[in-house]
Every structure is written in structure tokens, then in C-alpha cells.
Amino acid sequence: MHKSYTVTHLEHLESEAIFILREVAAQFQNPVLLFSGGKDSIVVAHLAKKAFWPAKVPFPLMHVDTGHNFPETIEFRDRFVADMGARLVVASVQDSIDQGRVVEEKGPNASRNGLQTVTLLDAIEENNFDAAIGGARRDEEKARAKERFFSHRDDFGQWDPKNQRPELWNLFNGKMNPGEHFRVFPLSNWTEMDVWQYIKRENIDLPSIYFSHKRPVIERGGTIMAVTDFITVQDDEEVAEKVVRFRTVGDATCTGCTESAANSLDDIIAEVAAARQTERGTRADDRRSETAMEDRKKQGYF
Amino acid sequence: MTSVNQDKQAKEKDSYLDMELLRFTTAGSVDDGKSTLIGRLMYDTKTIFEDQLEAVERSSKQRGDENVNLALLTDGLRAEREQGITIDVAYRYFATPKRKFIIADTPGHIQYTRNMVTGASTANLAIILVDARNGVIEQTCRHSFIASLLQIEHVVVAVNKMDLVDWSEERFNEIVDDYKDFASRLDIPQITFMPISALLGDNVVSKSENMPWYQGSSLLYHLETVYIGPDANHVDARFPVQWVIRPHSNEWHDFRGYAGKVAGGVFKPGDEVMVLPSGFTSKIKAIHSHDGELEEAFHPHSCAITLQDEIDISRGDMLVKPNNKPRVEQEIDCMICWFSEKRKLKAGDKLFIRHTSREVKAAVKSVQYKVNVNTLHKVEDEPEVGLNEIARIHLRVASPLFVDEYSRNRITGSLVLVDPFTHETLAGGMIRAL
Ligand SMILES: Nc1nc2c(ncn2[C@@H]2O[C@H](COP(=O)(O)OP(=O)(O)O)[C@@H](O)[C@H]2O)c(=O)[nH]1
């Protein structure tokens, strides 16, 4: 009859993600793609381009901006969005602070990461978004292992792990009541390794901070943190120049980097294969407690 | 350790472009060792990272466990950890140089049939755990029934805790015979039996030295090599339209691409196709992907098809071949598994159906019978279907669905029922021949 119909794991994952993105466009009135400038959201945006090509992606991108960015990420974001011909919505944590919606944390470990949840939920409400597409993966953290592709949020934006809709075959139920919304995760079944392999296969451009470079850093609580305008170096902390790269891109106050000489995708893939620490292990926000992620997710975090 | 790692690393770098994907589900009753087995697979394939292992060591100590409890690796949510049980489907990932694996980890409690059905719906293979001391029990029958109901191609019966029965060949054979005895009533194409010890690792990743009498392969080797090619239907061409791509740009002025994921068969440019429900026919002009035009598309490709004629086509329509059409039905006969804790199902109920890219209203005409999942007996004259129950029902839909029998095509043969008010997903259904 025919040669074998085997398909590689990356083709499976790509096809599944494209299917999910098209379902979102079809089932929701006003979806948005959450774009942080990190590799996962870049991959989701890339898949969205492929899903709707040769038409443009039929929804805008939204950046929840903590104001604590690495300049490389913002440059990258603007270039990427312009190339896509997409509309960018910026939801600013600084605005939420100025409007008194949230109060900024104090102290050397102050981070705006927790505040993002309020900014995100406010922006979803203001813009009447009914689906927010994110790049989260189930392999990232144990609370995510049970997350759905279509994750229902109540009218307070909260996630109830006990009351999730079963997802069978490839039938996704995006029906909801007014005021509620969905988070959608097209990369649910991808691992960190899959993401890197796919970036390589597709030749996807990334912000430079993913690759090895020299920068001043401090060590804090076992994590190497970049010295930026947004963190206060304590008296007992020593600033040193190190060759590092980032494994995730987030708020500069809570995203750690790792010492690494990997400056090509092949190097990174080799490093990921040998890595003995999960990538969220470098994020101070998850270290706060064993169930930190689950607690934040319930409140409406990404 | 390092050399194994470097070896693995070198292989992964080169071979990831032709790695395959296998999805499997695991079932067993509480304490059969399911979490330990998954922890073992992840640990021995170096999927577990140092920081995860440390977190588990910390929790094990806090709980006062004797050994590092590998089962904690797969226990996600706080409530579950507190109760010490898994209560929802959790997805786990690991890879070897040959394949990437997606595990749908489903709990074995009697009240959670729905989780196993959910996990099984996308699986190519099911591992059913049996405690060597207890042998085949009621739950084993239930799990096997669900695997056969969901048409999982390959079942592995893993007889676990062989260390506790002195690695006895006799005991193993006894269990194999018991299992075969009742499985003869089920429809499972391939059953493989394996004696293992999840705790000690025997026959999980490498062959056991304690059971030289066992001639078969290790579990991981089986997972890496079991043939999954024919699991999808490549005969009956089915293309449910998900979305219509209309660029409205100068370059692509008249472009009308029907976007979707192939649900069956093979589509090629030039093929004659029929559009359902309209019945119009045309020829495929091209099959587009962002990477260029495709010479053919089959499951699971997501692509966009253009036709030679302008026909009005929208989401919910289906492209098929004129000489091989699905049934176009308003009367649907199906087996369902009921998921809702809040409401039951009975004749006269009005619901929504989701089937491929269609959503239609439906009314329940009758509940024909329920199935006792432990004995496989039919239970008639019970008019209501409740949580975790399996039943055969008749539905009437407001506009036709384009269906195949579930045993022929898992995609065009499956549906979910949705509550019109709460929008909850109430049930999963597998379509039968009328
Ligand atoms: N002796 C022995 N004990 C096992 C084996 N597999 C699991 N166990 C133990 O059985 C208990 C239940 O295992 P667990 O993985 O939590 O079971 P689950 O409820 O099926 O996930 C734990 O105490 C395990 O250490 C095995 O192969 N041999």
C-alpha cells in the first residue's frame, strides 16, 4: 500500500498545537496570546503564524510588563511583533501600582511577579478577552501536570483544580458563562527539550540573553541573579562578572541565570540533555514554598 | 553515570529529528505500585532532575517515609498529597533516544472511572498493574474493560511486586491464565504479560536477574519498540474543517484555505473530494502548510486545503472522498461514560454534542442499558446514568453528524456531551453501528 505513516514526535506536537490554536480562533470571540518574550511564548507565536498562514494571526499579542525587563527582551519583542504584523497590547504592572490596584513589595527580594496576576486579570477584563493563550508546559512544575489544554477560570479569574473539565480525544469544550474566561496552553505536551529541538528545527530567533554572555551577577539564596537597576545589592553580597545564560526570561528581579558557555542552539540542546536542574529551579518565585505554583495558579497566575 | 549521560546526550542531539511519540496510560488499584513504576521509569531514564529529587526527599522525610518515596514525584496537587492519593489525570513525560513518551497517569479508585476513560482516550497503549500477591481482581477487570472500550491497541499486564512472591514463575503463570480467561470476553488486539518489581527495578528498564525464566523483554524496551504505525486510520479520508483561512491580502487575494487536522485517510492534490453536508464535489487544488505545499496529508497532519471550485464551506463541514463516505446521521447510538457529579442522565434530557468540529443540540431518546464494569454484565431497566457509570444510549441530534464507528476511527467516532446551562463536559461517547 504505502510506505510507513510514521510521524516524528515534533511533527505530532506541532500539529497538536496548531490544532489547539485554530480551535481557539474558532471557539472564542476575543482571544489574546500572552507574549513575554520568553522562548515558550515565542514558540507559541511562531506556531500561531503557521496555523493561520497565509493570513495573519487573528488575535493580538499581550505583554504583561512588570517594568523589570532585560532591555534585550523588549527590543526583541518589538521587532518580533512588527515582523508578525500583529497588534501588541501592553498591560503594565507600573500602571496597576500607580492606580493603587496593587502594592509593591519591599526589601531586597522584592519582586513584581506576584503583582502580575492583578495586572493580567484587569487587562483581560478591560479588553474583554475570553481566552488567554499561554506557553506553559505540563512538565514545568508538578501543579501543572494536571492542567488542561483549555483551562476554565471563574469570574474571579481563579483556577479550581478540583473542578476541571475532562478532555478526551481532541474535543475541547470552550463554552462558558459571561465574565469567565479560559487559559489555553498549546504546548501542554511539550518538554523543555522538545521546545529547544523545535527552535532548532524551525530556526526560530531568540533574545540574546538565552545564549552565553558575560555580565555582573550576585549569588542570592543559591541562585545567580543578574545585577540590574531593579535589584538592590546587599552589603554582604559580592558582585562578580560571570559567563552566564538564562533558561527562562521573566521579571529581572526573580529570574536566575546559570553559568554556561553554551552560545549556540546545539550547545544548549546538549546542555539541556545533561541538565540536572529543572528550568523553574532557577526561579526564586517557586522556591518560596513547595506548593507556591499551585497557590499562585489558583489565584489566576499564568 | 557520566558516561551514560554523555552517551545519551550525543544520541539525542543527532536523533531527535526522527524520534517517535508513544502515548500510554497506566491503571491499577491503589497501592499496586503505579506511582512507583512511573517514578522508576522517569528515574532510570534520567528524566528526574536533582531539584525534583531533592524536593521529594524533603517531603518523604516530612512524612516519615522509610525510603525516598518515588511515588511522590507523580503526586501533583496539594489536596492529593495530603490525602496521599492521586485523584485526577496527571500527564508525565520522558524520552529515550528512540521515543518520546506521554503518560496519562490515572488513579485506580472505583469512583474515578472517568479519569481512566479520559487518559485512555488518547493512548496507544495501556499498562495495567496487578499486585502479584493479589492476582487478578475486580479492578483489573474494570481497567481492562475500559481499555477495550476505548479501543487501546496494546495492553501490557505488568505483574508487580514479584519480589514479594519469591520471583515465582508459577505464580506469574497462574495470573496470566486467570487474566486470559476473562480477557477472552474483551476486544484487545495485543496483550503482553510482564513480571516486574517497580520498587527494585526488575524488568522495568533492564532485564531482571532474579527471573531468568522470563524470556520476554523489559517494559521500557517494549515501550520503545512496540509497533504503533497502524493505530490511526489511513483508509477512510476524513477532514473536518476547523477554520477557514482568508488572508484578504493582495498576494493571496482569492485564497480560501480550509484548515483542519486530518482525521483519517490520505489526501493528495488532484483528489476528488465531496463536502458534507452539502454534497458538492470538487478537486483538491493544493494542500498548504507554512513550510510549503504538501504532496499528501494524513493523520495527524494539520494543514489547509484549497479546492478548484468555489464552494461555500465553513467550520463543521467535512471533506471526504465521494466513494467512501461516513454515515450522515441524526440518530446516534453510543456507549458513554458519565462524568458529572452534579447531574445524571435520563431519557428526554436536552444537551449539546461536540463531535469533530461540529456542535449540535441533542436529545436523549433512551438509555438502553448500563454496564457493570466489574462483571461486564448488562444492567437493564435503570433509567438514570450517574457519575462513573457506563451506558449505551440513543441520541437524536438537531442536524446530522458525519460519523464512523469508534472502532473504525477514534476521531470521527467519538463525541462529548455538554450541559447547555453550566457548560460542564458531562460525558464522553463512542459511536456504535446502528
Ligand atoms: N515490595 C515491593 N513493593 C512495592 C513495589 N512497587 C510498589 N511497592 C510499594 O507499594 C506501595 C504502594 O506503591 P505506590 O506506587 O504508591 O502505589 P499506587 O497507589 O499504585 O501509586 C508503596 O509502599 C511501594 O513502595 C514492588 O515492586 N515491590
Side-chain angles (χ1 to χ4, degrees):
Chain A
M1 205 175 73
H2 189 278
K3 54 182 198 304
S4 80
Y5 289 105
T6 49
V7 168
T8 69
H9 77 298
L10 289 180
E11 286 174 298
H12 263 286
L13 295 173
E14 176 187 72
S15 181
E16 175 181 82
I18 287 176
F19 178 84
I20 297 288
L21 287 160
R22 288 169 172 172
E23 276 306 288
V24 173
Q27 289 197 35
F28 297 93
Q29 303 291 326
N30 193 16
V32 66
L33 194 158
L34 300 177
F35 188 80
S36 66
K39 69 174 193 312
D40 299 315
S41 65
I42 292 169
V43 166
V44 177
H46 177 85
L47 288 159
K49 268 197 286 198
K50 294 185 94 163
F52 300 102
W53 183 88
K56 281 187 184 156
V57 175
F59 36 75
L61 273 53
M62 179 161 79
H63 181 210
V64 178
D65 181 1
T66 60
H68 293 164
N69 300 297
F70 295 102
E72 297 91 330
T73 322
I74 295 297
E75 259 164 53
F76 181 90
R77 176 195 78 185
D78 293 340
R79 187 157 34 91
F80 190 90
V81 171
D83 282 352
M84 253 180 101
R87 181 164 75 89
L88 178 73
V89 179
V90 178
S92 148
V93 173
Q94 187 62 51
D95 288 351
S96 303
I97 295 169
D98 295 345
Q99 290 158 14
R101 297 281 297 147
V102 293
V103 179
E104 183 138 40
E105 288 182 13
K106 299 219 160 51
N109 285 320
S111 152
R112 288 182 168 183
N113 212 39
L115 311 185
Q116 286 183 86
T117 302
V118 174
T119 308
L120 170 65
L121 292 178
D122 285 354
I124 286 174
E125 200 174 311
E126 266 164 40
N127 292 282
N128 284 316
F129 291 131
D130 53 0
I133 304 161
R137 292 175 280 111
R138 287 177 182 146
D139 83 319
E140 276 177 69
E141 212 280 339
K142 53 183 180 261
R144 293 214 197 266
K146 303 182 178 195
E147 184 57 281
R148 304 296 196 254
F149 279 91
F150 275 34
S151 177
H152 180 253
R153 302 303 158 106
D154 66 17
D155 48 359
F156 298 101
Q158 298 181 103
W159 180 64
D160 177 3
K162 289 241 147 124
N163 188 21
Q164 298 191 78
R165 295 177 182 176
E167 286 181 342
L168 293 96
W169 301 289
N170 55 358
L171 294 167
F172 297 94
N173 172 7
K175 286 183 98 72
M176 68 193 143
N177 289 312
E180 299 174 349
H181 75 276
F182 272 80
R183 299 292 170 80
V184 180
F185 304 109
L187 305 186
S188 289
N189 278 332
W190 299 47
T191 61
E192 186 186 14
M193 189 50 140
D194 298 328
V195 169
W196 283 113
Q197 290 171 345
Y198 187 72
I199 289 170
K200 169 101 195 296
R201 192 189 89 160
E202 297 286 299
N203 202 8
I204 298 172
D205 196 19
L206 291 182
S208 55
I209 63 172
Y210 277 109
F211 299 94
S212 164
H213 58 284
K214 211 183 224 173
R215 71 161 68 222
V217 295
I218 55 164
E219 245 189 88
R220 183 177 285 176
T223 306
I224 305 174
M225 309 287 293
V227 176
T228 61
D229 296 347
F230 314 116
I231 70 170
T232 321
V233 178
Q234 301 297 291
D235 291 342
D236 58 345
E237 285 172 337
E238 208 174 301
V239 178
E241 286 264 313
K242 285 192 174 153
V243 176
V244 296
R245 67 175 201 88
F246 291 82
R247 291 179 69 188
T248 63
V249 170
D251 184 329
T253 60
C254 67
T255 305
C257 44
T258 50
E259 284 190 74
S260 164
N263 56 15
S264 70
L265 287 173
D266 280 334
D267 288 352
I268 291 175
I269 289 172
E271 196 181 279
V272 172
R276 309 312 300 146
Q277 289 265 319
T278 55
E279 58 186 311
R280 291 203 80 88
T282 56
R283 292 186 68 145
D285 46 327
D286 284 337
R287 290 254 175 114
R288 291 185 175 187
S289 94
E290 255 260 67
T291 52
M293 173 62 99
E294 187 179 333
D295 295 338
R296 271 180 294 138
K297 269 178 70 68
K298 280 185 182 163
Q299 285 153 20
Y301 188 70
F302 297 100
Chain B
M1 190 96 149
T2 342
S3 77
V4 171
N5 251 335
Q6 278 165 358
D7 200 29
K8 184 183 163 208
Q9 192 180 315
K11 275 194 200 133
E12 265 175 13
K13 206 182 112 187
D14 299 327
S15 68
Y16 71 86
L17 288 174
D18 49 47
M19 264 163 73
E20 293 175 342
L21 179 72
L22 178 81
R23 297 177 193 247
F24 67 93
T25 179
T26 52
S29 47
V30 186
D31 284 345
D32 281 353
K34 198 161 50 64
S35 312
T36 308
L37 177 65
I38 295 174
R40 166 66 57 193
L41 280 169
M42 296 178 74
Y43 185 75
D44 286 357
T45 53
K46 316 254 180 307
T47 311
I48 291 166
F49 295 103
E50 252 170 42
D51 53 340
Q52 288 173 317
L53 197 62
E54 278 164 21
V56 166
E57 277 168 3
R58 265 200 311 275
S59 320
S60 301
K61 258 195 215 125
Q62 272 166 16
R63 291 162 46 112
D65 291 343
E66 221 171 280
N67 301 319
V68 174
N69 190 340
L70 283 180
L72 285 181
L73 277 168
T74 61
D75 253 2
L77 303 179
R78 171 185 284 187
E80 295 170 343
R81 214 154 344 122
E82 281 163 2
Q83 294 161 28
I85 50 162
T86 338
I87 53 173
D88 197 353
V89 188
Y91 293 87
R92 311 276 158 207
Y93 305 86
F94 70 97
T96 67
K98 286 207 180 75
R99 278 186 181 167
K100 172 194 165 100
F101 299 95
I102 302 180
I103 314 175
D105 178 11
T106 66
H109 289 257
I110 184 119
Q111 62 271 46
Y112 295 113
T113 296
R114 84 165 163 197
N115 292 331
M116 184 169 168
V117 169
T118 303
S121 74
T122 50
N124 314 99
L125 178 147
I127 299 177
I128 296 178
L129 273 140
V130 174
D131 185 323
R133 296 167 304 174
N134 306 333
V136 174
I137 57 171
E138 215 174 67
Q139 262 104 321
T140 319
C141 303
R142 172 155 43 95
H143 297 146
S144 307
F145 171 64
I146 294 171
S148 101
L149 186 69
L150 275 287
Q151 296 278 322
I152 296 183
E153 204 73 11
H154 315 273
V155 166
V156 175
V157 178
V159 180
N160 188 31
K161 307 197 186 183
M162 287 301 292
D163 53 308
L164 298 181
V165 296
D166 286 331
W167 315 105
S168 159
E169 180 177 11
E170 252 179 282
R171 180 64 188 139
F172 176 72
N173 287 337
E174 213 171 82
I175 293 171
V176 170
D177 289 343
D178 278 359
Y179 188 92
K180 281 185 176 160
D181 201 34
F182 101 94
S184 60
R185 288 183 286 158
L186 300 173
D187 175 23
I188 302 174
Q190 188 200 53
I191 306 176
T192 309
F193 298 90
M194 282 181 198
I196 65 165
S197 169
L199 189 67
L200 305 177
D202 291 70
N203 286 337
V204 177
V205 170
S206 40
K207 291 269 314 252
S208 167
E209 282 167 20
N210 293 307
M211 293 177 277
W213 49 265
Y214 172 65
Q215 303 298 318
S217 55
S218 73
L219 177 60
L220 184 67
Y221 183 82
H222 183 70
L223 294 175
E224 280 188 308
T225 51
V226 64
Y227 183 52
I228 45 173
D231 286 9
N233 176 322
H234 296 304
V235 177
D236 313 309
R238 305 284 184 262
F239 189 83
V241 175
Q242 249 191 306
W243 174 261
V244 182
I245 296 177
R246 305 225 45 195
H248 299 293
S249 62
N250 289 337
E251 189 187 350
W252 300 96
H253 193 68
D254 292 321
F255 186 94
R256 246 175 194 276
Y258 304 108
K261 186 169 172 175
V262 180
V266 183
F267 290 87
K268 295 191 175 116
D271 282 355
E272 186 170 18
V273 289
M274 175 182 275
V275 185
L276 296 175
S278 69
F280 288 122
T281 55
S282 180
K283 280 196 173 141
I284 295 180
K285 190 153 116 195
I287 303 174
H288 296 266
S289 85
H290 182 265
D291 304 316
E293 291 185 14
L294 305 179
E295 276 167 31
E296 60 178 1
F298 50 86
H299 182 76
H301 290 144
S302 282
C303 56
I305 293 179
T306 50
L307 299 181
Q308 287 180 357
D309 305 280
E310 266 198 31
I311 302 177
D312 187 23
I313 298 175
S314 50
R315 174 175 168 88
D317 292 359
M318 191 185 282
L319 305 184
V320 302
K321 302 271 173 82
N323 59 358
N324 177 345
K325 287 178 283 190
R327 283 161 30 215
V328 177
E329 296 283 5
Q330 277 189 271
E331 303 280 330
I332 307 288
D333 179 6
C334 59
M335 292 294 280
I336 58 157
C337 176
W338 192 253
F339 299 145
S340 175
E341 295 162 35
K342 294 183 200 129
R343 58 169 290 188
K344 296 187 177 220
L345 173 113
K346 57 180 182 331
D349 284 353
K350 302 248 183 333
L351 307 160
F352 277 109
I353 289 187
R354 260 183 192 288
H355 172 261
T356 65
S357 51
R358 275 174 102 69
E359 188 188 83
V360 296
K361 281 189 189 156
V364 180
K365 278 181 67 184
S366 63
V367 174
Q368 287 164 293
Y369 57 83
K370 297 204 277 196
V371 179
N372 178 323
V373 289
N374 298 318
T375 61
L376 308 192
H377 290 147
K378 285 185 190 175
V379 183
E380 310 208 17
D381 303 323
E382 281 190 16
E384 291 198 327
V385 186
L387 178 62
N388 289 310
E389 290 188 320
I390 292 184
R392 184 156 184 175
I393 65 167
H394 245 113
L395 296 160
R396 186 173 167 77
V397 291
S399 60
L401 298 179
F402 322 126
V403 303
D404 292 292
E405 235 181 290
Y406 181 79
S407 58
R408 183 127 186 116
N409 188 320
R410 264 177 149 187
I411 302 167
T412 52
S414 58
L415 53 84
V416 294
L417 302 179
V418 176
D419 189 292
F421 302 105
T422 65
H423 310 310
E424 202 189 351
T425 301
L426 297 170
M430 288 134 282
I431 296 167
R432 296 289 188 110
L434 262 186

